[in-house]
Amino acid sequence: QVQLVESGGGLVQPGGSLRLSCAASRSNFAIGDMAWYRQAPGKERELVALVGTSGNTNYAGSVKGRFTISRDNAKTTLYLQMNSLEPEDTAVYYCYAIGISPVGLSYRYWGQGTQVTVSL
């Protein structure tokens, strides 16, 4: 099993920065791809950024150049550095990970979410 715990959300002014963290506790599972999703009020959950086990990344067009996703494989921790934040970035941010069992089965896991609010 895999448990994901996010931290680092909060209130920030437009143009400011925040860094989100996601700590994965995984017992005997391996961790595959990890990602950040977000969901704004009244909108569907959307992919923000993804990072593979080899460090390859993919970003939503709306955050490219402003957000940076990274991971520490030794500690199975995921990060999202968010710069030049805009009010449109306001959402609940969710950590996501693929957990791989010892016999090779893959499962999807979600964190509980952390609120990011960008406002004056």
Side-chain angles (χ1 to χ4, degrees), residues 2 28-32 98-109:
V2 175
N28 58 345
F29 275 43
I31 302 294
I98 298 291
I100 305 166
S101 75
V103 296
L105 296 176
S106 295
Y107 301 88
R108 299 179 179 185
Y109 295 92

Side-chain angles (χ1 to χ4, degrees), residues 1-4 23-34 51-54 71-77 96-109:
Q1 296 289 336
V2 175
Q3 292 184 325
L4 304 173
S25 59
R26 56 187 178 92
S27 64
N28 58 345
F29 275 43
I31 302 294
D33 290 350
M34 300 184 79
V51 58
T53 54
S54 60
R71 64 189 289 170
D72 179 338
N73 286 328
K75 297 181 179 180
T76 58
T77 303
Y96 166 90
I98 298 291
I100 305 166
S101 75
V103 296
L105 296 176
S106 295
Y107 301 88
R108 299 179 179 185
Y109 295 92

Side-chain angles (χ1 to χ4, degrees), residues 10-117:
L11 173 64
V12 63
Q13 293 185 353
S17 298
L18 280 176
R19 188 191 196 207
L20 305 183
S21 299
C22 172
S25 59
R26 56 187 178 92
S27 64
N28 58 345
F29 275 43
I31 302 294
D33 290 350
M34 300 184 79
W36 289 98
Y37 283 75
R38 68 185 180 186
Q39 188 167 18
K43 295 187 177 181
E44 294 187 353
R45 191 172 297 189
E46 63 174 357
L47 175 67
V48 176
L50 179 146
V51 58
T53 54
S54 60
N56 54 299
T57 58
N58 188 30
Y59 294 91
S62 60
V63 307
K64 196 171 294 185
R66 299 187 297 122
F67 292 10
T68 302
I69 190 171
S70 61
R71 64 189 289 170
D72 179 338
N73 286 328
K75 297 181 179 180
T76 58
T77 303
L78 180 69
Y79 303 98
L80 185 68
Q81 178 66 43
M82 304 185 293
N83 299 327
S84 302
L85 282 160
E86 304 169 352
E88 293 74 22
D89 297 315
T90 296
V92 177
Y93 284 70
Y94 296 92
C95 179
Y96 166 90
I98 298 291
I100 305 166
S101 75
V103 296
L105 296 176
S106 295
Y107 301 88
R108 299 179 179 185
Y109 295 92
W110 294 92
Q112 81 285 357
T114 185
Q115 176 70 46
V116 171
T117 302

